[in-house]
Amino acid sequence: MAKKQKFPTFECVISNTVEEYDSEVENFFLFKNYLSTELAELRQLDPEWEDNYVKIIKYLSALGESLVYLKDPPSHDFLIKLSLGDEVEDDSTERLLRSKGRETAVLMRAAARAREVMYWYVRNSRIERFSKSFTPERFQGLPFVRLALTYRSIATSNKK
């Protein structure tokens, strides 16, 4: 008789449990990594903001370490500064249609990905075995990641 195969699992360092690959914690880190790769792509597409993309990638990496090793959350002061200015969010369809370069669409995708990261973060905060890591204090910078990327997408869409 054939032995029934099971899906592989992984040992989660946050919860010290064995998790399946559809675990919420796995999804959080997966989407965080997607966001980092989009930011890396933006470094080439939008060299004027390259240093800011590098800072955001490093912030996301430090946030991951903070979650895993229960360190203090990384400072997000620079993200607040990137998000200052007129609070204007225009129609996303119009933004895409007026943009002349690829960077606007990639920025909009990265901003949407930041929302997904926020979603998975909050979901993990509600799961008892993950809640010690996924605290409100560590969450504080993520909305500013999304806002900074949204504002940058507006700026790049207005370039002639």
Side-chain angles (χ1 to χ4, degrees):
M1 173 162 47
K3 186 176 179 181
K4 187 174 180 180
Q5 288 188 323
K6 294 183 179 181
F7 286 104
T9 57
F10 67 95
E11 291 184 32
C12 177
V13 296
I14 291 177
S15 63
N16 293 315
T17 58
V18 174
E19 297 287 328
E20 295 186 12
Y21 281 95
D22 64 349
S23 167
E24 285 85 350
V25 74
E26 180 71 1
N27 279 311
F28 169 80
F29 283 99
L30 177 68
F31 283 98
K32 183 183 78 61
N33 289 339
Y34 286 158
L35 176 56
S36 293
T37 60
E38 288 162 345
L39 294 167
E41 180 181 4
L42 283 162
R43 289 177 57 210
Q44 271 70 66
L45 293 174
D46 185 14
E48 182 182 331
W49 241 51
E50 181 178 1
D51 291 343
N52 293 324
Y53 298 125
V54 169
K55 288 177 188 175
I56 298 171
I57 291 169
K58 288 179 179 181
Y59 168 80
L60 293 170
S61 177
L63 177 62
E65 286 184 22
S66 172
L67 292 165
V68 171
Y69 300 112
L70 299 177
K71 295 179 179 180
D72 288 338
S75 173
H76 63 277
D77 291 343
F78 78 98
L79 291 165
I80 294 170
K81 289 177 185 171
L82 292 177
S83 301
L84 293 176
D86 295 335
E87 291 188 28
V88 178
E89 288 199 39
D90 60 358
D91 181 75
S92 58
T93 301
E94 290 176 14
R95 192 178 327 149
L96 288 168
L97 293 175
R98 78 172 169 258
S99 68
K100 303 294 183 205
R102 227 175 101 225
E103 67 274 4
T104 299
V106 177
L107 278 157
M108 290 175 68
R109 184 174 63 229
R113 187 79 69 198
R115 290 289 293 257
E116 289 176 309
V117 170
M118 293 163 61
Y119 168 85
W120 286 108
Y121 188 106
V122 171
R123 278 202 52 165
N124 281 302
S125 75
R126 294 180 181 151
I127 299 170
E128 188 175 334
R129 66 187 184 276
F130 303 135
S131 63
K132 190 174 181 182
S133 290
F134 289 86
T135 63
E137 294 75 28
R138 289 189 182 97
F139 181 83
Q140 298 306 307
L142 291 174
F144 291 104
V145 171
R146 186 207 65 84
L147 193 58
L149 296 172
T150 298
Y151 284 178
R152 183 64 184 161
S153 74
I154 293 168
T156 61
S157 73
N158 289 322
K159 287 183 178 182
K160 302 291 179 194

